[in-house]
Amino acid sequence: MQDEQQYEQLLMQYNQLKNGALDIAGMIEREDYDSAITMLKSREALFLSCKCIRKYLELTPVQQKEIDTIVDEIKTLERANIKTLEKGLENIQLELAKTQKSQ
């Protein structure tokens, strides 16, 4: 019974992380970088909690598949956020170089 409760808690936390990644994507799109950074920092404890639960929780194959699916979704969202930020950084660097040349 306790394993089932821990599994549900783990699933809930992963869903929070997934929703957070979606929220961060929106913040990046709106160029609200301060909020995005604040949210990223606040998520660290949640990642650590998930890691601890996974370390000691024995999952059934079905549970493992469900967890793996949501973890893959989170990774995909996080990679997309990183690519968006890298593209934005490249654009800023190009604009800076243009400004420096014109000066």
Side-chain angles (χ1 to χ4, degrees):
M1 184 66 178
Q2 185 160 352
D3 278 355
E4 184 65 30
Q5 288 174 337
Q6 286 182 325
Y7 168 73
E8 291 298 327
Q9 180 183 0
L10 180 63
L11 197 56
M12 181 190 68
Q13 288 179 348
Y14 275 133
N15 277 309
Q16 287 175 333
L17 290 169
K18 179 182 168 187
N19 292 335
L22 291 168
D23 291 343
I24 289 169
M27 291 173 196
I28 292 168
E29 190 174 308
R30 293 187 306 274
E31 296 181 3
D32 186 2
Y33 301 115
D34 289 337
S35 296
I37 289 169
T38 300
M39 189 163 195
L40 282 169
K41 288 179 181 178
S42 70
R43 296 169 75 216
E44 288 178 34
L46 200 52
F47 273 113
L48 286 174
S49 175
C50 290
K51 185 177 178 179
C52 289
I53 292 171
R54 276 191 88 166
K55 187 174 184 175
Y56 297 106
L57 184 62
E58 291 185 30
L59 299 170
T60 67
V62 172
Q63 291 172 333
Q64 185 67 51
K65 185 174 181 177
E66 191 170 2
I67 292 295
D68 289 344
T69 299
I70 195 164
V71 168
D72 288 343
E73 290 172 3
I74 293 167
K75 286 179 183 179
T76 300
L77 291 168
E78 296 291 348
R79 283 187 194 111
N81 287 344
I82 290 168
K83 282 184 180 183
T84 302
L85 287 171
E86 287 173 343
K87 187 174 181 182
L89 180 60
E90 288 173 14
N91 291 338
I92 290 169
Q93 288 173 336
L94 288 173
E95 290 298 318
L96 183 60
K98 286 180 189 176
T99 303
Q100 288 174 341
K101 277 186 178 181
S102 68
Q103 289 181 353

